[in-house]
C-alpha cells in the first residue's frame, strides 16, 4: 500500500514529467517563434510585416479563407441536418466520407486537384483552360484546396448539437406555421449557434494555416500565388529568418486567438447547459 | 406512387427523389461530389490507367520503399511514444489539481492551432545543432533537425493532442469509486492499475494512437521544414509525392499518392472499428 | 365536422404502424387514443397533424381535406410529450411564436399572450426561460403556445408522460376543465388507461396499428369488444375456459373483473373453493389474492365493510362465486357480448 506521502510525491513526479514533455515538444517551439520574430527588435518585426510579399501573401490567404468559410458553413449545416435528422441506408458511410479530408495527407489532396484541374493532365483542365480560367497555380486552386482540407469541421461540430436538440423543436415550429427558412432561422440556428461558431473557428484556423495542399496547387510564386504559410517556408529557405518568424508569429497569433475563443465557448457552454 | 410496391427502407429515399430533393440533401451530395468525390476519382482513374504492372513498378521502386519506411516506421514510433506520454499527461490533467492546470490543458491544443509551416519552422530552429534544445545533443554527436530524428520530432509534435483529447473524456468518466472498490477487495496499486484502470482505457488509447499515426503519416508542412528531404535518409512519402509533381512526373506522384490514400482509408476504417469497440464500455 | 380519418396506413420499414384505420372525432369532443407502445396511436396523431405522411388514406379536419397539406397549412395545435419549448425564448416569446409567424400586430400579440398567460395561470412568469420552470409549468406553456394560433383542433402527444404522479393528476383535471372552457376538438395520446378514463369524452383503443374499440369510458369498460380491450382497460382475471362449470364449448379464455368475484364462506352449486394467499388494503377497498384448487391465481376486490363482515384471513379457504364473466371465441371475434352470465 502506498503511504499518503509517497502518493503525494508520485503525483508531483507525474506532473513534473508531463510538464517537462509538454515544454520540450510544444512550449519551447512556440516560444522560439516569438523570440526569433523580435530578434531585430520590434522594428525588424514591423519592417517584415511591411514587405510587399508579406502583404500579398496575407491578402491571398484572407481571400481564400473568406471564400471557404461561407461555402463550408453552408455545406456543414446541410450535411449535419441530413445526418442528424434522417436514418437512411449509407448514413454511416456518408459520415465516414465527410471525415476523409481529415485522414488523408494534404499533399494527396493537392495531388487530386492537380489531376482533376491540371491544364495538361487534368480531366477538367482543358475545359477550364478553353474558358480562359486558370485553376491550378492560381486562386481557384488555392480556394479548392482550402475548401477540401477544412470540409469536415462545421459538420462535425454541428451534428452532435443538432442530435442533442432533437427534432421536436423543429416539429413544434412547423405546427405553429413556420416555413423551412423560419424554422431554421428562428429555432434551429439559435440553438446550435455555439457549436456552429466553434466549427467556423476551426475552419478559419485551418484555412489560414493550410500549407501542404495549397503548396501543391499554388505553384508558390512569391508575391503572386503564395499564401502566408508558403511565405513562411520560402522566407526560411531563403535565409530571411526574421521575415519567416514574423509571418509565423502572425499566424500563431490567429491560432492563439482560436484557442482563446475555444476556451470562452467551452466556459459559455457549461453555463448554458439546461438546468433540468 | 402507391402503385409501385417498393422494398423496405428505400421508399423514403425514393419518395424524396421523386418529390424533388430538399435543399439540404441536394446541396450535401452536390458539394461532396464536386469537392471530394470527383478529385478522388481523378486519382484512382489515373492510377488505374497506368496498368497494374507499371503501378507496381513505381510503387515498389527503391526510393518509394525507403520513403514508406521512413514515413510509416517513424510515424509509428512517434505515435507509440505519445501513446505512453499522452496517457500520462491526460492522467495528470484529469486526476491532479495543480496551479496552471487550465493553461497546460489549453497548451495541448497548440498543434491544432499552429499552422504546420509554423510548427516546422519552430521545431527546426529549436532542434538544430545551435538550437535551444539541439545544442544539448550535438556534443554527443546526435543531430536532430535535418535527420530522421527531426522527422520523428515533428511527428511527435503533431500527433500528441490526438491521444490526450481522445483519452480525457473517458478518464473523466472513470469513477474513482471503481478504484476504491478494487482497493476494498484487496488489490495492490499495481493490480489496480493493470486490472481495473488500464483495460477500459485501452480502446481510447489505441484510437488516439491510430489517429495520431494517421495524421503523422500524412504530415507534410512541419516535416518538410525540419528534414533535409534526402532520399534514402529522411525523405517521407508525402514529400516524395510533392517532388514528383515538381518534376512533372504525374505517374510517379499518382502512384505514391494512391498508396498513401489507400493507407489512409484503411486507417479510417480501423479507427471507426476501434471507436465502436470503445463504445462497448460506455454505460448509458 | 371534427376530424375524419379514412383508411389510413403507414409502414416504417417492416413495421406496420397503422393498418387501414378509420376514425371519426366528433366536433368539440375530447378524445383519447389509448394503447400500449407501438400500437400506432402516436403515428395516427402525427398523421392527423401532418408530421407523418401516411402511405394511403385520407384525412379531413372540419370538412376540409388535409391529406396533401403541409403541417403549416393545417391550422392544428400540437403539444409534445417533452414540451418541445424553444429553450432560447422566454415564456412570452414561446407563446407569441406562432402569432409572429402569422405577422399578427405587436399590440394584438401582447393582448393574446396576456390572455393565454391568464388561462394557464402563469401570469407572473412570462419573462422566464423554459429551463427556469417546473415540468408542469412547461407543459402548460406548451399548451398555451399551441392554443395561441387559434387552431381548428388540438392534438396532444402523451402530454403528461414526462411528469411525476401528483403533477400529472392535477394537470389532467386542469386539461379537462380547460377543454370544457374552450370546447375545441381535441385528441390526446396516452398509454395510461386511468388517464384516458378520467379526461376523455371518448376513448379509442388501439393495438398493433388497428383500432380495437371506440366508445365512452364506461362503454369500453363495461362492454369490451375484444379480449385485448378487456385486458387493457381495467384489471381482469383470465381463467382457462375448461374451468369448473364454465361453458366448455367456448374454446378460449374467460375474463372476470375483480369486483365481479364474490367471496362467501358457504359453498353453493356454482361456487369454487379457493385459498386466500394475500390481502392488500387499499384504503377504501381490499384486494384479495386467491388460489383456486388447480393452482390458478385469482384477484378479487371487495369493499372494506364486506371484507370485515366475512371475518376470514390469509391461509383460510373460502368459496368464490364468479359473476359476470365474459368469454370471447377463437379468432378474436366477439361472441360474449352481452356478457355470458354463469349463474
Amino acid at each position: 500500500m502506498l503511504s499518503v506521502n509517497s502518493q503525494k510525491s508520485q503525483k508531483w513526479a507525474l506532473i513534473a514529467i508531463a510538464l517537462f514533455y509538454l515544454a520540450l515538444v510544444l512550449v519551447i517551439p512556440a516560444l522560439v517563434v516569438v523570440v526569433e520574430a523580435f530578434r531585430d527588435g520590434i522594428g525588424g518585426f514591423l519592417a517584415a510585416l511591411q514587405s510587399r510579399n508579406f502583404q500579398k501573401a496575407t491578402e491571398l490567404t484572407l481571400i481564400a479563407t473568406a471564400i471557404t468559410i461561407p461555402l463550408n458553413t453552408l455545406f456543414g449545416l446541410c450535411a449535419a441536418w441530413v445526418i442528424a435528422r434522417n436514418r437512411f441506408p449509407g448514413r454511416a458511410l456518408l459520415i465516414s466520407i465527410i471525415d476523409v479530408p481529415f485522414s488523408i495527407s494534404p499533399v494527396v489532396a493537392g495531388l487530386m486537384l492537380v489531376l482533376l484541374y491540371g491544364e495538361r493532365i487534368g480531366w477538367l483542365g482543358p475545359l477550364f483552360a478553353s474558358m480562359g480560367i486558370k485553376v491550378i497555380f492560381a486562386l481557384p486552386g488555392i480556394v479548392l484546396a482550402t475548401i477540401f482540407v477544412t470540409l469536415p469541421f462545421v459538420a462535425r461540430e454541428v451534428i452532435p448539437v443538432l442530435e442533442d436538440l432533437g427534432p421536436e423543436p423543429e416539429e413544434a415550429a412547423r405546427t405553429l406555421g413556420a416555413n423551412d427558412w423560419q424554422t431554421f432561422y428562428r429555432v434551429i440556428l439559435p440553438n446550435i449557434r455555439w457549436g456552429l461558431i466553434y466549427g467556423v473557428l476551426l475552419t478559419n484556423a485551418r484555412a489560414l494555416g493550410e500549407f501542404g495542399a495549397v503548396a501543391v496547387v499554388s505553384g508558390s510564386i512569391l508575391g503572386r500565388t503564395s499564401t502566408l504559410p508558403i511565405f513562411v517556408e520560402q522566407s526560411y529557405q531563403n535565409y530571411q529568418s526574421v521575415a519567416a518568424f514574423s509571418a509565423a508569429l502572425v499566424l500563431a497569433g490567429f491560432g492563439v486567438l482560436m484557442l482563446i475563443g475555444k476556451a470562452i465557448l467551452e466556459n459559455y457552454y457549461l453555463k448554458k447547459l439546461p438546468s433540468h | 406512387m402507391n402503385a409501385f410496391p417498393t422494398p423496405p427502407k428505400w421508399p423514403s429515399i425514393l419518395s424524396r427523389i421523386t418529390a424533388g430533393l430538399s435543399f439540404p440533401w441536394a446541396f450535401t451530395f452536390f458539394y461532396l461530389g464536386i469537392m471530394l468525390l470527383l478529385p478522388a476519382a481523378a486519382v484512382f482513374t489515373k492510377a488505374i490507367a497506368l496498368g497494374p504492372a507499371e503501378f507496381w513498378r513505381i510503387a515498389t521502386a527503391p526510393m518509394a520503399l525507403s520513403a514508406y519506411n521512413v514515413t510509416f516506421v517513424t510515424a509509428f514510433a512517434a505515435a507509440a511514444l505519445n501513446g505512453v506520454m499522452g496517457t500520462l499527461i491526460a492522467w495528470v490533467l484529469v486526476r491532479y489539481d495543480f496551479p496552471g492546470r487550465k493553461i497546460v490543458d489549453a497548451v495541448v491544443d497548440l498543434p491544432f492551432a499552429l499552422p504546420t509551416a509554423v510548427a516546422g519552422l519552430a521545431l527546426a530552429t529549436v532542434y538544430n545543432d545551435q538550437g535551444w534544445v539541439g545544442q544539448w545533443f550535438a556534443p554527443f554527436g546526435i543531430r536532430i533537425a535535418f535527420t530522421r530524428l527531426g522527422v520523428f520530432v515533428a511527428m511527435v509534435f503533431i500527433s500528441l493532442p490526438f491521444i490526450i483529447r481522445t483519452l480525457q473524456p473517458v478518464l473523466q468518466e472513470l469513477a474513482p469509486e471503481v478504484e476504491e472498490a478494487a482497493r476494498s477487495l484487496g488489490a495492490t496499486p499495481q493490480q489496480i492499475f493493470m486490472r481495473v484502470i488500464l483495460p477500459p482505457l485501452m480502446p481510447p488509447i489505441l484510437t488516439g494512437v491510430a489517429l495520431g499515426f494517421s495524421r503523422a503519416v500524412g504530415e507534410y508542412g512541419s516535416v518538410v521544414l525540419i528534414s533535409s528531404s534526402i532520399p534514402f535518409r529522411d525523405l517521407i512519402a508525402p514529400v516524395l509525392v510533392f517532388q514528383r509533381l515538381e518534376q512533372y512526373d504525374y505517374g510517379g506522384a499518382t502512384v505514391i499518392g494512391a498508396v498513401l490514400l489507400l493507407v489512409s482509408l484503411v486507417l479510417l476504417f480501423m479507427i471507426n472499428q476501434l471507436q465502436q469497440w470503445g463504445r462497448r464500455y460506455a454505460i448509458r | 365536422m371534427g376530424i375524419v380519418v379514412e383508411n389510413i396506413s403507414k409502414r416504417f420499414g417492416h413495421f406496420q404502424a397503422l393498418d387501414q384505420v378509420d376514425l371519426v372525432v366528433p366536433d368539440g369532443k375530447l378524445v383519447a387514443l389509448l394503447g400500449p407502445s407501438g400500437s400506432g396511436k402516436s403515428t395516427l396523431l402525427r398523421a392527423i397533424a401532418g408530421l407523418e405522411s401516411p402511405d394511403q388514406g385520407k384525412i379531413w379536419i372540419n370538412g376540409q381535406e388535409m391529406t396533401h397539406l403541409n403541417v403549416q397549412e393545417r391550422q392544428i395545435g400540437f403539444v409534445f410529450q417533452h414540451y418541445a419549448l424553444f429553450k432560447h425564448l422566454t415564456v412570452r416569446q414561446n407563446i407569441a411564436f406562432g402569432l409572429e409567424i402569422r405577422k399578427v400586430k405587436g399590440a394584438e400579440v401582447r393582448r393574446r399572450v396576456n390572455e393565454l398567460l391568464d388561462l394557464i395561470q402563469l401570469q407572473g412568469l412570462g419573462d422566464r426561460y423554459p429551463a427556469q420552470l417546473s415540468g408542469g409549468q412547461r407543459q402548460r406553456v406548451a399548451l398555451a403556445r399551441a392554443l395561441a394560433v387559434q387552431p381548428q383542433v388540438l392534438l396532444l402527444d402523451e402530454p403528461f408522460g414526462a411528469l411525476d404522479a401528483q403533477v400529472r393528476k392535477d394537470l389532467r383535471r386542469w386539461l379537462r376543465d380547460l377543454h370544457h372552457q374552450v370546447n375545441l376538438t381535441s385528441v390526446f395520446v396516452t398509454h395510461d388507461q386511468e388517464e384516458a378514463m378520467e379526461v376523455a369524452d371518448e376513448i379509442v383503443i388501439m393495438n398493433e396499428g388497428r383500432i380495437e374499440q371506440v366508445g365512452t369510458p364506461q362503454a369500453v369498460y363495461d362492454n369490451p369488444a375484444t379480449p385485448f380491450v378487456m385486458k387493457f382497460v381495467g384489471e381482469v382475471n383470465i381463467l382457462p375456459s375448461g374451468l369448473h362449470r364454465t361453458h366448455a364449448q367456448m374454446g378460449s379464455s374467460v375474463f372476470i373483473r375483480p369486483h365481479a368475484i364474490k367471496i362467501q364462506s358457504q359453498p353453493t352449486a356454482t361456487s369454487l373453493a379457493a385459498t386466500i394467499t394475500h390481502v392488500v388494503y387499499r384504503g377504501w377497498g381490499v384486494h384479495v389474492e386467491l388460489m383456486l384448487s388447480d393452482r390458478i391465481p385469482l384477484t378479487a376486490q371487495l369493499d372494506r365493510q364486506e371484507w370485515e363482515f366475512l371475518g376470514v384471513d390469509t391461509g383460510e379457504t373460502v368459496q368464490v362465486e364468479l359473476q359476470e364473466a365474459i368469454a370471447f371465441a377463437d379468432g378474436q371475434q366477439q361472441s360474449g357480448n352481452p356478457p355470458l352470465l354463469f349463474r
Side-chain angles (χ1 to χ4, degrees):
Chain A
M1 282 286 139
L2 284 172
S3 71
V4 174
N5 259 341
S6 75
Q7 265 188 10
K8 255 198 170 160
S9 60
Q10 185 195 342
K11 167 185 163 180
W12 288 107
L14 288 177
I15 291 174
I17 295 170
L19 293 182
F20 178 73
Y21 189 78
L22 286 172
L24 204 63
V25 178
L26 304 183
V27 179
I28 292 176
L31 282 180
V32 89
V33 175
V34 183
V35 171
E36 289 291 320
F38 292 111
R39 205 172 50 179
D40 295 350
I42 304 259
F45 173 69
L46 291 177
L49 299 196
Q50 266 142 30
S51 89
R52 201 189 76 92
N53 286 345
F54 171 83
Q55 292 184 343
K56 278 284 168 193
T58 307
E59 197 183 305
L60 191 56
T61 298
L62 291 179
I63 291 172
T65 305
I67 299 173
T68 298
I69 287 179
L71 285 174
N72 275 358
T73 301
L74 182 60
F75 165 76
L77 286 170
C78 289
W81 185 85
V82 165
I83 287 166
R85 285 289 175 272
N86 298 278
R87 294 290 176 273
F88 52 95
R91 181 175 171 271
L93 183 69
L94 180 63
I95 298 173
S96 293
I97 287 176
I98 289 175
D99 261 356
V100 162
F102 278 174
S103 46
I104 73 175
S105 175
V107 173
V108 174
L111 169 74
M112 288 176 173
L113 294 171
V114 170
L115 292 180
L116 184 62
Y117 297 105
E119 241 169 75
R120 271 165 303 167
I121 41 125
W123 280 2
L124 303 177
L127 176 72
F128 282 98
S130 71
M131 293 191 289
I133 300 171
K134 208 168 152 63
V135 178
I136 299 302
F137 305 141
L139 178 67
I142 294 172
V143 170
L144 286 170
T146 309
I147 286 177
F148 188 102
V149 295
T150 56
L151 192 80
F153 282 114
V154 171
R156 274 173 71 123
E157 295 306 322
V158 172
I159 288 170
V161 195
L162 212 47
E163 267 174 354
D164 204 43
L165 179 66
E168 289 87 6
E170 285 169 47
E171 289 179 344
R174 289 197 289 142
T175 63
L176 293 166
N179 62 30
D180 289 354
W181 168 249
Q182 287 168 324
T183 304
F184 170 74
Y185 186 73
R186 302 182 68 141
V187 174
I188 300 178
L189 195 58
N191 280 294
I192 63 167
R193 63 191 159 182
W194 301 116
L196 178 63
I197 289 174
Y198 187 40
V200 171
L201 215 56
L202 292 171
T203 307
N204 181 53
R206 183 72 196 269
L208 291 174
E210 178 50 27
F211 179 60
V214 171
V216 172
V217 298
S218 75
S220 309
I221 306 159
L222 258 189
R224 290 265 316 281
T225 60
S226 90
T227 59
L228 260 189
I230 292 173
F231 176 83
V232 169
E233 192 233 357
Q234 287 179 329
S235 303
Y236 177 68
Q237 306 290 13
N238 296 335
Y239 303 102
Q240 295 166 318
S241 174
V242 172
F245 277 104
S246 299
L249 184 60
V250 170
L251 283 171
F254 282 121
V256 170
L257 279 182
M258 196 272 288
L259 288 188
I260 292 171
K262 183 195 167 192
I264 292 171
L265 282 182
E266 272 171 357
N267 278 336
Y268 203 85
Y269 261 135
L270 291 177
K271 279 185 210 139
K272 269 278 179 182
L273 278 180
S275 56
H276 56 88
Chain B
M1 256 151 279
N2 289 328
F4 305 101
T6 42
K9 273 193 168 184
W10 285 102
S12 62
I13 296 260
L14 285 181
S15 65
R16 212 166 268 139
I17 289 166
T18 48
L21 282 166
S22 70
F23 177 76
W25 284 86
F27 190 74
T28 298
F29 288 105
F30 168 77
Y31 199 76
L32 272 183
I34 298 276
M35 293 299 172
L36 225 164
L37 301 181
L38 204 57
V43 172
F44 283 118
T45 49
K46 176 81 179 166
I48 289 164
L50 288 168
E54 179 69 358
F55 187 97
W56 186 251
R57 192 186 63 74
I58 299 172
T60 59
M63 201 196 281
L65 289 180
S66 157
Y68 303 147
N69 176 11
V70 175
T71 309
F72 296 126
V73 174
T74 315
F76 182 77
L81 174 66
N82 277 338
V84 177
M85 294 310 293
T87 304
L88 189 152
I89 293 167
W91 178 268
V92 164
L93 286 175
V94 171
R95 283 302 170 88
Y96 300 144
D97 208 8
F98 54 94
R101 189 179 62 82
K102 283 206 157 173
I103 293 170
V104 175
D105 191 74
V107 161
V108 169
D109 277 336
L110 270 179
F112 287 155
L114 289 184
T116 54
V118 175
L121 177 69
L123 291 169
T125 307
V126 170
Y127 284 92
N128 73 29
D129 291 352
Q130 286 93 45
W132 291 356
V133 177
Q135 60 178 314
W136 301 99
F137 289 87
F140 303 102
I142 302 171
R143 296 191 64 215
I144 299 174
F146 312 115
T147 70
R148 202 169 159 171
L149 217 48
V151 176
F152 173 74
V153 168
M155 287 177 169
V156 165
F157 175 89
I158 50 134
S159 62
L160 181 57
F162 288 94
I163 290 97
I164 299 176
R165 291 295 181 238
T166 313
L167 193 54
Q168 263 177 327
V170 184
L171 263 178
Q172 255 149 9
E173 281 179 17
L174 199 70
E177 286 88 349
V178 179
E179 284 158 59
E180 286 164 7
R183 211 176 305 148
S184 78
L185 295 166
T188 65
Q190 286 81 3
Q191 284 172 324
I192 293 174
F193 183 76
M194 294 305 293
R195 300 172 67 156
V196 177
I197 298 173
L198 207 51
L201 298 186
M202 274 328 275
I205 290 173
L206 289 178
T207 307
V209 167
L211 282 168
F213 176 71
S214 169
R215 177 68 207 270
V217 162
E219 178 57 14
Y220 172 78
S222 57
V223 175
V224 79
L225 277 137
I226 201 178
S227 76
S228 55
S229 296
I230 297 169
F232 303 105
R233 279 204 20 217
D234 60 355
L235 178 71
I236 56 163
V239 176
L240 183 59
V241 174
F242 195 90
Q243 289 182 350
R244 290 280 185 263
L245 277 172
E246 279 187 326
Q247 296 151 3
Y248 301 105
D249 175 5
Y250 292 113
T254 304
V255 169
I256 298 157
V259 170
L260 278 176
L261 182 54
L262 287 175
V263 170
S264 304
L265 294 181
V266 169
L267 283 170
L268 180 64
F269 176 77
M270 276 175 49
I271 291 163
N272 274 346
Q273 296 298 308
L274 276 171
Q275 280 167 338
Q276 272 173 25
W277 179 42
R279 250 170 245 141
R280 225 175 26 155
Y281 290 113
I283 300 169
R284 290 263 152 220
Chain C
M1 292 292 131
I3 302 168
V4 179
V5 171
E6 186 188 293
N7 201 28
I8 286 280
S9 292
K10 175 74 183 175
R11 282 180 85 90
F12 295 107
H14 293 287
F15 180 68
Q16 186 79 47
L18 291 175
D19 189 4
Q20 301 184 335
V21 170
D22 294 302
L23 178 66
V24 176
V25 178
D27 198 23
K29 285 275 194 282
L30 177 56
V31 171
L33 298 181
L34 175 67
S37 54
S39 60
K41 55 193 192 301
S42 276
T43 309
L44 179 57
L45 190 81
R46 291 171 62 87
I48 295 170
L51 290 168
E52 299 287 354
S53 49
D55 301 331
Q56 64 167 60
K58 289 178 178 173
I59 293 163
W60 286 267
I61 295 176
N62 289 346
Q64 189 193 353
E65 195 186 334
M66 295 283 172
T67 318
H68 301 290
L69 292 188
N70 287 330
V71 199
Q72 289 92 337
E73 299 159 325
R74 293 195 186 191
Q75 292 184 46
I76 48 110
F78 201 98
V79 176
F80 293 80
Q81 179 177 5
H82 297 284
Y83 331 121
L85 291 178
F86 305 129
K87 278 185 279 190
H88 64 291
L89 301 179
T90 62
V91 168
R92 281 180 168 280
Q93 290 167 329
N94 263 285
I95 298 172
F97 185 92
L99 297 170
E100 281 168 8
I101 292 289
R102 284 166 175 72
K103 305 221 181 328
V104 176
K105 290 216 172 57
E108 170 69 6
V109 171
R110 274 191 296 281
R111 194 185 64 75
R112 295 286 308 280
V113 170
N114 284 334
E115 227 174 73
L116 283 156
L117 282 173
D118 281 349
L119 186 73
I120 61 170
Q121 299 149 18
L122 290 181
Q123 295 90 337
L125 305 182
D127 295 320
R128 293 218 184 161
Y129 284 93
Q132 298 165 305
L133 300 179
S134 72
Q137 289 170 333
R138 283 179 208 168
Q139 196 54 293
R140 279 186 275 163
V141 174
L143 200 67
R145 184 180 68 177
L147 291 174
V149 298
Q150 291 174 313
Q152 300 196 50
V153 294
L154 184 63
L155 308 170
L156 309 97
D157 190 3
E158 301 254 3
F160 314 117
L163 301 170
D164 52 44
Q166 191 53 49
V167 182
R168 234 176 136 114
K169 279 200 165 156
D170 296 345
L171 204 58
R172 67 196 191 201
R173 250 165 241 170
W174 178 80
L175 176 71
R176 191 180 56 196
D177 296 344
L178 184 79
H179 181 258
H180 284 306
Q181 239 174 301
V182 295
N183 220 20
L184 181 65
T185 311
S186 305
V187 181
F188 78 102
V189 160
T190 179
H191 60 262
D192 181 346
Q193 45 124 340
E194 199 185 319
E195 192 166 290
M197 292 280 186
E198 188 176 325
V199 180
D201 298 323
E202 245 180 42
I203 299 179
V204 177
I205 293 158
M206 296 194 63
N207 184 36
E208 293 177 350
R210 290 165 173 280
I211 290 177
E212 297 267 339
Q213 189 174 2
V214 181
T216 63
Q218 200 194 343
V220 294
Y221 186 85
D222 291 343
N223 294 310
T226 65
F228 176 81
V229 176
M230 182 91 205
K231 275 184 276 185
F232 198 75
V233 180
E235 286 179 76
V236 73
N237 292 292
I238 304 171
L239 303 178
S241 61
L243 201 66
H244 180 64
R245 266 173 243 214
T246 52
H247 291 217
Q249 77 273 18
M250 289 311 296
S252 72
S253 306
V254 172
F255 298 80
I256 300 153
R257 299 280 189 208
H259 59 73
I261 294 170
K262 197 177 168 213
I263 301 180
Q264 55 205 26
S265 41
Q266 297 304 315
T268 63
T270 53
S271 71
L272 301 166
T275 310
I276 299 173
T277 56
H278 201 84
V279 180
V280 182
Y281 291 88
R282 283 197 185 165
W284 45 269
V286 180
H287 259 66
V288 185
E289 291 169 23
L290 300 142
M291 192 70 83
L292 292 175
S293 54
D294 19 14
R295 303 207 61 75
I296 297 164
L298 197 65
T299 303
Q301 188 182 312
L302 289 70
D303 67 38
R304 194 68 174 263
Q305 283 169 317
E306 220 178 325
W307 172 248
E308 275 161 10
F309 180 76
L310 273 169
V312 289
D313 207 348
T314 311
E316 289 183 45
T317 301
V318 289
Q319 293 291 321
V320 293
E321 188 90 56
L322 309 179
Q323 307 167 312
E324 291 179 49
I326 299 174
F328 298 91
D330 288 333
Q332 308 270 306
Q333 294 300 317
Q334 163 192 353
S335 81
N337 196 15
L340 297 168
L341 302 179
F342 301 104
R343 282 219 180 172

